[in-house]
């Protein structure tokens, strides 16, 4: 009927043709013999009307299947800078001795302090545990305890690593000793890493770098206990090959002898 066809979106013009034209006028083989021309046109129009919908849903399904991959890629891109920032802040906090040895490190409190979620904070603490700058105590974290034998061992290990490197010859003082804006601890690190680099052994350089991180907070106290730290570093940088080992040994033995006082300064810094 024309009213039925109009309600289904069929043009009255086509309905008029279909009501009078034989099925062959529409096209042989286009419709079954048992159906009328009007029924064929109504069914064809319905199929044409549904085709864009099918294509639309197919496109949506393709987009939905790609969403997990896109989200994972964006998460990975955003997570790396956050972790680097959190890890760097935690490491700098420990290097500067802003937490006393044995102090508990609460991931939730640190996350609030660093304006980050707890996951990158916990990951950063685990990484620092591998670097021996943090102790994993049971289910929590803490700054490693530092005893007099521990500190003596750190100084002695630093001396042994530096003695294993070739004697520096005419180290440029302006490149070895940093500018006045940096602390004595940072200037000592620059000097010792430069000496270790002369060996050409990347493992030796990595060991010196790790020791610099673990000794940084104590070296900040050296500047308050010794009055001539800058002169000692300048003498090491300018020393000839023969006297370099003598000066290097004297530098470390002096600190090993002062371990009780240096350790007391370290604990009192935030105690």
């Amino acid at each position: 009927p024309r009213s039925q066809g109009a309600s289904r979106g069929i043009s009255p013009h086509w309905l008029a043709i279909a009501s009078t034209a034989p099925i062959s006028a529409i096209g042989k083989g286009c419709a079954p013999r048992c159906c009328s021309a009007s029924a064929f046109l109504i069914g064809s129009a319905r199929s044409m009307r549904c085709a864009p919908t099918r294509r639309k849903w197919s496109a949506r399904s393709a987009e939905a299947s790609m969403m997990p991959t896109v989200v994972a890629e964006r998460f990975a891109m955003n997570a790396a800078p956050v972790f680097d920032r959190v890890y760097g802040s935690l490491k700098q906090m420990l290097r500067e001795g802003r937490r006393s040895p044995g102090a508990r490190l609460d991931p939730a409190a640190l996350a609030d302090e660093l304006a980050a979620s707890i996951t990158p904070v916990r990951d950063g603490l685990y990484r620092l545990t591998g670097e021996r700058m943090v102790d994993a105590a049971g289910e929590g974290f803490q700054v490693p305890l530092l005893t007099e034998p521990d500190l003596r061992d750190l100084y002695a290990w630093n001396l042994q690593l530096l003695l294993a490197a070739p004697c520096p010859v005419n180290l440029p003082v302006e490149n070895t000793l940093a500018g006045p804006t940096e602390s004595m601890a940072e200037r000592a690190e620059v000097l010792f890493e430069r000496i270790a680099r002369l060996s050409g052994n990347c493992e030796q350089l990595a060991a010196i770098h790790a020791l610099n991180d673990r000794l940084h907070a104590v070296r900040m106290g050296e500047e308050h206990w010794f009055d001539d730290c800058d002169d000692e570093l300048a003498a090491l940088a300018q020393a000839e090959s023969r006297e370099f080992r003598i000066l290097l040994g004297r530098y470390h033995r002096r600190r090993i002898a002062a371990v009780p006082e240096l350790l007391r300064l370290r604990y009192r810094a935030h105690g």
Side-chain angles (χ1 to χ4, degrees):
R2 294 192 178 187
S3 60
Q4 183 180 1
S7 64
R8 296 183 179 180
I10 306 299
S11 172
H13 173 72
W14 283 101
L15 285 174
I17 295 176
S19 61
T20 57
I23 191 69
S24 60
I26 301 174
K28 294 181 179 181
C30 294
R33 294 182 182 275
C34 59
C35 72
S36 64
S38 60
F40 170 71
L41 283 173
I42 292 172
S44 300
R46 185 183 301 170
S47 299
M48 292 173 63
R49 192 165 58 248
C50 293
T53 304
R54 293 194 192 97
R55 287 194 296 269
K56 185 184 297 183
W57 279 105
S58 298
R60 289 179 180 176
S61 300
E63 291 177 359
S65 64
M66 294 174 60
M67 283 183 64
T69 303
V70 174
V71 170
E73 291 177 353
R74 290 181 179 177
F75 177 79
M77 293 174 62
N78 294 331
V82 173
F83 172 78
D84 292 341
R85 177 180 66 83
V86 170
Y87 166 75
S89 299
L90 291 172
K91 189 170 187 176
Q92 190 64 21
M93 175 192 72
L94 296 169
R95 276 173 51 87
E96 294 177 355
R98 283 183 261 156
R99 297 291 191 279
S100 181
R104 183 172 177 269
L105 299 172
D106 182 20
L110 291 171
D112 293 338
E113 182 180 339
L114 299 175
S117 64
I118 196 171
T119 300
V121 173
R122 191 178 296 275
D123 292 343
L125 290 173
Y126 275 121
R127 180 171 173 179
L128 290 168
T129 300
E131 298 175 11
R132 303 185 67 183
M133 297 185 69
V134 172
D135 277 345
E139 297 181 355
F141 302 92
Q142 69 176 30
V143 181
L145 291 169
L146 190 60
T147 64
E148 291 186 16
D150 294 336
L151 187 53
R152 289 192 183 96
D153 287 345
L154 289 175
Y155 278 124
W157 179 229
N158 192 72
L159 174 60
Q160 292 174 19
L161 286 172
L162 293 175
L163 289 176
C167 294
V169 179
N170 298 326
L171 278 177
V173 180
E174 64 274 11
N175 294 333
T176 303
L177 302 181
T181 58
E182 297 186 358
S183 65
M184 187 280 303
E186 292 170 327
R187 293 195 290 273
E189 291 173 3
V190 172
L191 173 63
F192 295 150
E193 288 182 4
R194 188 173 181 85
I195 294 172
R197 194 173 287 112
L198 294 174
S199 67
N201 189 323
C202 60
E203 294 296 331
Q204 186 175 353
L205 179 60
I208 286 291
H209 183 74
L211 273 174
N212 284 339
D213 289 335
R214 297 172 66 189
L215 283 170
H216 186 87
V218 178
R219 284 175 178 156
M220 292 174 64
E222 293 178 12
E223 194 169 8
H224 299 284
W225 187 254
F226 301 112
D227 296 331
D228 56 348
C229 291
D230 289 333
D231 295 336
E232 284 182 304
L233 294 177
L236 281 170
Q238 298 172 344
E240 298 291 336
S241 299
R242 291 182 179 180
E243 62 176 346
F244 171 75
R245 292 179 179 273
I246 299 175
L247 293 177
L248 192 63
R250 185 183 303 167
Y251 174 93
H252 285 84
R253 284 192 298 271
R254 189 183 184 194
R255 279 148 183 80
I256 291 174
V259 158
E261 290 77 14
L262 295 175
L263 200 59
R264 197 173 299 117
L265 288 173
R266 174 68 184 94
Y267 274 89
R268 287 179 179 176
H270 296 277

